Amino acid sequence: MKFNWGTGIVIAIIGFMSFILYFVITMSTDNTYSYDLVTDKYYQAELDYQQEINAEQNANALTEKIQIEKHKNGLKVNFPSAFNSKEITGKVFLYRPSNKQLDFEIPFSMSKSYLLVPEQRLVDGRWNIKVIWKHKNTHYLFKDELVYATNSNKKPAEI
């Protein structure tokens, strides 16, 4: 059999197609490349998005913002001092983009001016935090991305 440029082109095309097909099959069947939506109720969350925008605008209008800092027992969420802590209710949602099994939500009713997220629930790495709270019938929303590290004294957003 004679090997000429036509045969080389056919072999190159077949090799390229095999390479692409291998990656398509690998990406669609391997669970390590599986990424889910942030929420299973995506369309319901889309309908509630305007209320979320309004709550975020309320939080941005505050003169004193929520402060998040690393504490020896976990993650400390400090609320503005202008609020009466006994009138604050809400929830903290921590979303882990790389693993939805680590996501969790903590409902709270305040007695102090801060909330402590226990360190046992937090794994080192990147987290998205969403704090939704209500004070005197006004809804507020705070969102941030942070990197949590158990052996660091820096603020999580700086790490």
Side-chain angles (χ1 to χ4, degrees):
M1 180 170 138
K2 198 172 190 183
F3 188 78
N4 59 20
W5 65 270
T7 308
I9 289 176
V10 169
I11 291 173
I13 290 173
I14 291 172
F16 179 72
M17 289 172 57
S18 300
F19 174 74
I20 296 298
L21 193 58
Y22 165 75
F23 276 110
V24 168
I25 291 170
T26 302
M27 295 297 274
S28 62
T29 59
D30 195 353
N31 287 336
T32 58
Y33 301 114
S34 172
Y35 292 99
D36 298 320
L37 294 173
V38 173
T39 178
D40 293 331
K41 299 175 183 175
Y42 181 76
Y43 294 107
Q44 180 62 35
E46 182 72 25
L47 295 174
D48 297 333
Y49 194 60
Q50 184 58 48
Q51 286 127 5
E52 190 173 303
I53 291 171
N54 295 341
E56 198 166 8
Q57 287 174 344
N58 291 340
N60 289 336
L62 295 173
T63 55
E64 186 181 353
K65 310 288 187 226
I66 281 186
Q67 299 294 318
I68 298 176
E69 60 187 36
K70 176 145 178 17
H71 189 266
K72 64 180 178 180
N73 297 329
L75 200 61
K76 188 175 179 183
V77 180
N78 294 311
F79 286 86
S81 59
F83 289 168
N84 181 359
S85 60
K86 293 185 182 354
E87 295 178 357
I88 298 174
T89 58
K91 60 185 175 180
V92 174
F93 179 66
L94 279 120
Y95 165 71
R96 181 72 181 232
S98 61
N99 187 351
K100 82 175 187 176
Q101 280 77 27
L102 296 174
D103 297 354
F104 64 94
E105 184 175 297
I106 301 174
F108 63 85
S109 178
M110 304 286 294
S111 61
K112 298 182 180 177
S113 64
Y114 65 89
L115 173 74
L116 187 64
V117 178
E119 189 171 42
Q120 296 87 353
R121 303 288 307 266
L122 297 168
V123 177
D124 289 358
R126 183 173 175 266
W127 290 89
N128 291 348
I129 185 169
K130 186 190 265 189
V131 182
I132 303 165
W133 79 97
K134 181 179 173 183
H135 181 259
K136 293 186 179 179
N137 292 327
T138 304
H139 294 272
Y140 299 92
L141 171 67
F142 171 80
K143 293 183 195 176
D144 199 9
E145 297 175 359
L146 54 98
V147 177
Y148 186 79
T150 54
N151 59 359
S152 175
N153 291 328
K154 294 182 182 177
K155 289 184 180 179
E158 295 176 351
I159 300 173

